[in-house]
Amino acid sequence: MRQFEFIRPQSVEQAIAVHATAHTTPQNAAMRVGEGVYLAGGTTLLDLVKLDVMRPARVIDIHRLGMNSIDRLPDGRLRIGALVTNTTLAYDPAVMRDYPVLSQALLSGASTALRNKATTAGNVMQRVRCGYFRDGVSPCNKREPGSGCAAIGGHHRSLHAVLGGSAQCIAAHPSDMCVAMAAIGATVHVQGAAGERDIAFADFHLLPGDTPWREHALANDEIITHVTLDAPLANARGGYLKRRDRASYQFALASCAVILSLDGGTVREARVALGGVATKPWRAIQAEQVLRGASLSPASADVWRRAADAALTGAHDYGQNGYKIALCQQAIVRNLTRLAAGGTV
């Protein structure tokens, strides 16, 4: 039995101060040994503590600190509190009307019970589902820096990436919500001992490189307070398509979020993001370039295929997960085909 201190602060400022008094030694940084951790929905944290993957000395309960409103800003952007639950966000009228791709992504993830507990900030901070990371004994550079990556030469069929990996880690980012936010465009707002700062969503999640235990750009003393979505594109259609082994409560093998802004029958602006195939929510800029200026009609199927090919530029498979490249390309083509027909996925 591992002991830890449980604290329920009365304000965000108090939570930050309490968190700052618990420190992690460099050699134990990946396992969060000896540090304070924030508890909101707990849908990932509690699992990892029970599995002994995380060993916090201090658990700071923040779920009563507010930060749970959804507000439209004067410039058209949508501000989402860190503690807004996935269910609340998915069914918010403004999200369903202006960001349907986000609502669809949220509803494709997990179970109703988990969505009722999981929070926006917790989903942004969600950790990987690689079995070698979670088993507590296999070589894993995320959990024990320098130990190696068992997944590269081991079982990596479903939860591992073909984009953004390195010799140190190939674990795929698990979030559906984050894929939609990558397509929409967003800003993560954080607060720490030194004050507040904003982090572009595209810069928040880090590629593994040589430091796979560094998963995000959040400083050790900072907390996410809210996420702001970019203003919706004018005259847009969007859809989220997820491919998985079974339809119920399963992480993506490959997924794509597509948003098309139309000028008549022509694509004026395109946003494409991929999930299940990359080590972070993956914005497919090259696919977007192919789609801009294209006619949105079933006759443009060759354009959809070229965009799908471009989206997986640089993809590298490790053997068992090679099928993900074609699967993701097929998902992109189907998503675009449905949007061209005037429907959603």
Side-chain angles (χ1 to χ4, degrees):
M1 178 70 70
R2 294 188 181 274
Q3 294 186 338
F4 60 88
E5 186 178 10
F6 183 82
I7 299 174
R8 184 168 284 158
Q10 301 303 306
S11 66
V12 172
E13 291 74 18
Q14 184 183 2
I16 293 169
V18 169
H19 187 276
T21 61
H23 299 286
T24 303
T25 58
Q27 65 268 30
N28 290 323
M31 293 187 71
R32 295 357 189 220
V33 176
E35 83 169 2
V37 294
Y38 295 118
L39 172 66
T43 56
T44 294
L45 173 64
L46 296 182
D47 278 350
L48 294 178
V49 171
K50 291 175 183 178
L51 291 170
D52 205 30
V53 174
M54 296 180 70
R55 304 173 187 171
R58 181 172 293 173
V59 175
I60 304 157
D61 182 1
I62 62 171
H63 85 275
R64 300 184 182 184
L65 297 185
M67 299 189 291
N68 56 2
S69 65
I70 301 174
D71 305 294
R72 175 71 70 186
L73 301 180
D75 60 5
R77 296 183 299 156
L78 195 69
R79 172 176 163 147
I80 305 163
L83 299 181
V84 172
T85 68
N86 286 182
T87 295
T88 298
L89 185 59
Y91 289 112
D92 181 81
V95 172
M96 296 179 71
R97 180 184 66 247
D98 298 330
Y99 306 99
V101 67
L102 177 57
S103 180
Q104 294 167 25
L106 286 163
L107 293 175
S108 76
S111 63
T112 301
L114 284 172
R115 291 196 297 267
N116 288 344
K117 292 291 291 182
T119 63
T120 298
N123 200 316
V124 169
M125 297 284 289
Q126 187 174 173
R127 305 198 71 188
V128 300
R129 295 284 166 164
C130 171
Y132 299 109
F133 167 71
R134 295 169 68 88
D135 71 12
V137 295
S138 299
C140 174
N141 289 316
K142 277 189 181 295
R143 194 184 65 250
E144 186 179 347
S147 63
C149 176
I152 291 177
H155 183 73
H156 52 253
R157 173 190 172 273
S158 58
L159 298 172
H160 297 87
V162 296
L163 290 167
S166 73
Q168 307 302 316
C169 180
I170 59 170
H173 193 275
S175 172
D176 294 292
M177 183 196 80
C178 287
V179 177
M181 287 187 173
I184 293 166
T187 303
V188 182
H189 305 270
V190 306
Q191 184 176 337
E196 301 176 1
R197 69 184 180 111
D198 299 340
I199 306 171
F201 194 83
D203 298 329
F204 186 84
H205 299 96
L206 305 179
L207 294 174
D210 292 329
T211 55
W213 56 91
R214 293 190 65 241
E215 297 175 347
H216 52 74
L218 198 68
N220 196 45
D221 67 339
E222 290 179 324
I223 186 173
I224 297 174
T225 56
H226 55 283
V227 176
T228 301
L229 302 181
D230 291 354
L233 296 176
N235 193 27
R237 297 181 190 176
Y240 184 75
L241 183 60
K242 180 176 181 177
R243 286 288 174 256
R244 46 193 162 177
D245 281 326
R246 64 178 188 270
S248 175
Y249 189 20
Q250 184 70 302
F251 294 95
L253 300 173
S255 67
C256 63
V258 177
I259 306 171
L260 303 176
S261 175
L262 305 177
D263 182 5
T266 302
V267 177
R268 180 172 59 85
E269 181 61 57
R271 305 280 178 81
V272 180
L274 311 178
V277 296
T279 55
K280 62 177 284 185
W282 194 266
R283 182 79 176 267
I285 302 296
Q286 290 164 299
E288 296 173 2
Q289 293 170 345
V290 172
L291 292 172
R292 291 190 189 104
S295 173
L296 187 66
S297 73
S300 298
D302 62 323
V303 178
W304 310 153
R305 287 190 289 270
R306 285 195 288 112
D309 290 343
L312 275 294
T313 299
H316 173 72
D317 75 82
Y318 295 85
Q320 297 169 7
N321 66 350
Y323 72 95
K324 283 192 170 193
I325 297 174
L327 183 66
C328 190
Q329 291 170 334
Q330 291 165 7
I332 294 168
V333 170
R334 179 176 178 184
N335 201 338
L336 289 165
T337 300
R338 293 287 295 271
L339 293 175
T344 57
V345 179

